[in-house]
């Protein structure tokens, strides 16, 4: 939004007048254009660097500074090499449910050490954990948070992906989700509607990438798809969430995708497909 000189109001619109989202049109939206946004991320210093190599160097130096300087002021890291591997492992698992045991196995360290490292990364704003949505939604809901890097550009750099390679990579899906989470989390600082953000997943495989909930209990569900088409199958998790919370609480279900036009999905007024750029273009 800042780059496009737009003041975003996506969250407010999603809760108050979600049908307005269907007015979003973005002829410039392509998988490649979103890959470029993901790879650049949100750091102003990176946005001023024109080449992918310069941006990669900045991200690499930034991660090193955090580990070697900022974290050194907080705590003595006994295994700095393993800690650096933890950062890269978190980047590779961005937009996944946190599994500390799997991380510990991959890094060949204790689970408690990995937990401490992830908590430290959260304290210095490298990672954020999106809690599970549990309030009366389902008795069988998973309570594990989702792990996201706070900046999609940093995540892409740490796994060795630039914009051209990201277009062809299956990693564009989780990195796009991480990009959207960061954009929405930022907007929550000034929207009129006060909401909390979580994710939904149950043991039967129903899941929704982002769940926004107001203090009154109203819910908006958001799915993120790195695809240029959306169909009824893409609302499976959203429909389950709508049934779980009830018609009186479910405000709207939105599928953010990499296509150009917003529309009602399957002629159901509860669900809208919207370009990802609707996050800053919706009005």
């Amino acid at each position: 939004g800042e780059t496009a000189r737009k003041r975003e109001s996506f969250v407010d619109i999603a809760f108050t007048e979600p049908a307005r989202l269907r007015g979003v049109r973005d002829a410039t939206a392509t998988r490649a254009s979103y890959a470029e946004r993901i790879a650049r991320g949100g750091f102003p210093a990176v946005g001023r660097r024109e080449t992918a190599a310069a941006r990669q160097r900045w991200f690499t130096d930034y991660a090193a500074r955090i580990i070697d300087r900022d974290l050194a002021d907080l705590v003595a890291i006994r295994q700095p090499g393993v800690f650096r591997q933890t950062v890269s492992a978190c980047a590779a698992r961005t937009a996944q449910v946190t599994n500390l045991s799997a991380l510990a196995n991959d890094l060949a360290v204790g689970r408690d050490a990995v937990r401490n490292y992830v908590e430290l990364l959260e304290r210095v704003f490298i990672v954020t954990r999106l809690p599970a949505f549990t309030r009366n939604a389902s008795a069988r809901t998973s309570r594990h948070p989702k792990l996201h890097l706070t900046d999609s550009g940093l995540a892409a750099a740490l796994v060795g992906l630039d914009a051209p390679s990201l277009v062809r990579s299956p990693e564009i899906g989780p990195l796009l989700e991480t990009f959207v989470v960061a954009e929405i989390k930022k907007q929550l600082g000034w929207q009129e509607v006060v909401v909390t953000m979580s994710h939904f997943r149950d043991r039967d495989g129903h899941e929704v990438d982002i769940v926004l909930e107001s203090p009154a209990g109203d819910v908006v569900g958001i799915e993120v798809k790195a695809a240029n088409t959306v169909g009824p199958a893409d609302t499976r998790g959203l429909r389950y969430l709508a049934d779980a919370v009830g018609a009186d609480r479910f405000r709207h279900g939105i599928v953010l995708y990499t296509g150009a036009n917003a529309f009602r999905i399957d002629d159901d007024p509860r669900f809208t497909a919207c370009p990802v750029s609707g996050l800053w273009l919706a009005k």
Side-chain angles (χ1 to χ4, degrees), residues 51-126:
T51 68
R55 294 193 290 271
Q56 175 72 48
R57 285 193 295 270
W58 190 94
F59 282 124
T60 301
D61 291 345
Y62 175 77
R65 288 197 306 272
I66 291 290
I67 294 168
D68 297 334
R69 185 191 64 194
D70 295 5
L71 280 171
D73 293 338
L74 293 174
V75 64
I77 303 297
R78 294 181 179 178
Q79 297 173 292
V82 174
F83 191 80
R84 291 187 181 90
Q85 292 175 35
T86 304
V87 177
S88 296
C90 288
R93 288 168 172 79
T94 194
Q96 294 183 22
V97 172
T98 309
N99 188 329
L100 295 178
S101 296
L103 266 174
N105 289 337
D106 289 350
L107 298 169
V109 297
R111 191 174 187 274
D112 288 344
V114 169
R115 180 191 295 109
N116 291 337
Y117 288 165
V118 172
E119 289 174 355
L120 285 171
L121 290 173
E122 210 166 11
R123 288 175 66 181
V124 294
F125 308 105
I126 294 289

Side-chain angles (χ1 to χ4, degrees), residues 169-182:
S169 171
E171 294 302 315
I172 192 171
L175 285 167
L176 181 63
E177 183 181 336
T178 286
F179 172 83
V180 170
V181 166

Side-chain angles (χ1 to χ4, degrees), residues 13 33 39 50 55 63 73 91 96-97 102 104 109 111 134 196 238 281:
I13 292 170
S33 69
E50 292 302 320
R55 294 193 290 271
D73 293 338
Q96 294 183 22
V97 172
V109 297
R111 191 174 187 274
T134 60
T196 58
L238 292 169
L281 295 179

